[in-house]
């Protein structure tokens, strides 16, 4: 099977671990690569994905069957767009339950869409068990642990075994606290200079942010390459 585009779900059952930031970065990465991208915001409260990137992120609800059908139909729609899902902790269990029940990942792969979950790892038992559950509940998904270094050390990463062809640990490097205040107020786009200028970001800060972005984009490119190579190897074996 040759994948035409992908669905990446940024997930964790825990709040305030950086999921929305990762979803923002993924959306900006695909824009930077010149790809059409649509993001889905399954969060609530302040600082949501739709508030940061209103032109690219759609607010979605999965509290009822109508909302669930609308979301999953759009995710597997053959519209040529790469999809990003910012899965808020309150919607985590519902999303996984519905995705498992309807065979979402299997159908996505049948349509040539590569489904993946970037799971933000933390040392708590809730997250470790949720990650373990995903391995059995969504076996067709490439499950990739993501280390947000802004949360601290990664001594717990051995609790998150890697699953799926081409998957490997993805790192989001720490950003100095003094710089984070510039990117934490919506709306803000890393690639839209108009929004950056509107925040009056000093030149030295812009340079440091671009250096930080290059590291992250390299992580995303390497992950894509590993998944692509694994896909090609699988096709050759078939």
């Amino acid at each position: 099977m040759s994948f035409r585009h992908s669905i990446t779900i940024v997930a964790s059952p825990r709040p305030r671990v950086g999921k929305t930031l990762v979803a923002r970065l993924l959306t900006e990465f695909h824009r930077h690569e010149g790809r059409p991208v649509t993001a889905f915001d399954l969060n609530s409260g302040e600082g949501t994905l739709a508030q940061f990137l209103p032109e690219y992120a759609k607010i979605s609800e999965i509290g009822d069957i109508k909302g669930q059908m609308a979301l999953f139909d759009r995710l597997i729609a053959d519209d040529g767009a790469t999809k990003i899902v910012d899965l808020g902790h309150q919607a985590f269990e519902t999303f996984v339950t519905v995705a498992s029940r309807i065979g979402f990942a299997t159908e996505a792969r049948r349509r040539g869409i590569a489904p993946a979950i970037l799971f933000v790892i933390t040392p708590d038992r809730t997250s470790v068990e949720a990650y373990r559950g995903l391995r059995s509940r969504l076996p067709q998904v490439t499950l990739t642990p993501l280390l947000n270094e802004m949360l601290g050390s990664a001594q717990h990463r051995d609790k998150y075994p890697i699953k799926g062809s081409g998957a490997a640990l993805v790192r989001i490097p720490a950003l100095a606290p003094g710089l984070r205040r510039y990117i934490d107020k919506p709306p803000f786009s890393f690639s839209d200079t108009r929004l950056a200028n509107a925040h009056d970001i000093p030149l030295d800060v812009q340079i440091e942010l671009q250096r930080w972005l290059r590291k992250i984009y390299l992580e995303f490119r390497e992950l894509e390459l590993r998944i692509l190579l694994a896909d090609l190897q699988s096709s050759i074996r078939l």
Side-chain angles (χ1 to χ4, degrees):
M1 177 183 293
S2 179
F3 295 123
R4 297 188 299 274
H5 51 97
S6 63
I7 302 168
T8 304
I9 301 147
V10 185
S12 167
R14 306 295 297 177
R16 304 185 66 82
V17 295
K19 294 186 295 295
T20 297
L21 175 60
V22 175
R24 290 168 58 195
L25 290 165
L26 273 170
T27 304
E28 301 275 24
F29 167 70
H30 289 295
R31 289 180 60 201
H32 182 267
E33 296 295 296
R35 302 166 183 159
V37 57
T38 303
F40 298 86
D41 184 347
L42 274 72
N43 252 308
S44 60
E46 297 297 322
T48 63
L49 184 61
Q51 290 171 339
F52 277 103
L53 298 173
E55 293 183 26
Y56 299 93
K58 305 176 182 294
I59 297 175
S60 301
E61 298 287 344
I62 57 172
D64 55 35
I65 293 177
K66 182 179 179 180
Q68 294 164 8
M69 292 177 61
L71 173 64
F72 286 101
D73 283 349
R74 285 189 290 177
L75 287 178
I76 61 174
D78 189 12
D79 55 8
T82 293
K83 315 288 174 48
I84 307 297
V85 179
D86 181 12
L87 181 54
H89 70 284
Q90 294 175 326
F92 178 88
E93 182 57 33
T94 299
F95 182 95
V96 174
T97 298
V98 175
S100 176
R101 186 176 69 239
I102 67 175
F104 158 69
T106 301
E107 178 62 20
R109 285 181 171 272
R110 189 185 71 80
R111 296 181 181 221
I113 304 169
I117 294 178
L118 283 183
F119 190 98
V120 183
I121 62 175
T122 50
D124 56 282
R125 182 176 178 180
T126 297
S127 294
V128 173
E129 291 182 350
Y131 183 88
R132 185 184 301 121
L134 287 173
R135 301 184 73 194
S136 59
R137 298 170 73 185
L138 297 174
Q140 293 296 315
V141 171
T142 298
L143 180 57
T144 301
L146 181 141
L147 172 62
N148 181 359
E149 294 184 346
M150 298 181 204
L151 299 177
S153 64
Q155 296 178 0
H156 53 277
R157 66 185 184 185
D158 60 325
K159 300 177 182 178
Y160 294 90
I162 294 167
K163 172 189 174 293
S165 299
L169 180 74
V170 173
R171 297 174 181 271
I172 299 298
L175 183 65
L179 302 185
R180 289 194 63 181
R181 66 186 180 90
Y182 291 101
I183 67 172
D184 282 347
K185 184 178 179 181
F188 180 88
S189 167
F190 294 104
S191 56
D192 191 331
T193 55
R194 295 172 303 168
L195 289 175
N197 292 335
H199 286 242
D200 296 322
I201 300 179
L203 179 60
D204 60 331
V205 173
Q206 292 191 39
I207 293 172
E208 184 58 33
L209 284 175
Q210 289 302 314
R211 185 179 297 120
W212 179 68
L213 273 179
R214 283 195 294 271
K215 293 178 183 178
I216 295 168
Y217 287 0
L218 180 60
E219 291 278 326
F220 292 159
R221 288 193 188 98
E222 289 180 347
L223 176 63
E224 283 192 327
L225 180 59
R226 287 191 293 266
I227 294 175
L228 174 62
L229 290 175
D231 175 42
L232 289 174
Q233 291 170 356
S234 177
S235 299
I236 291 171
R237 288 195 296 269
L238 294 175

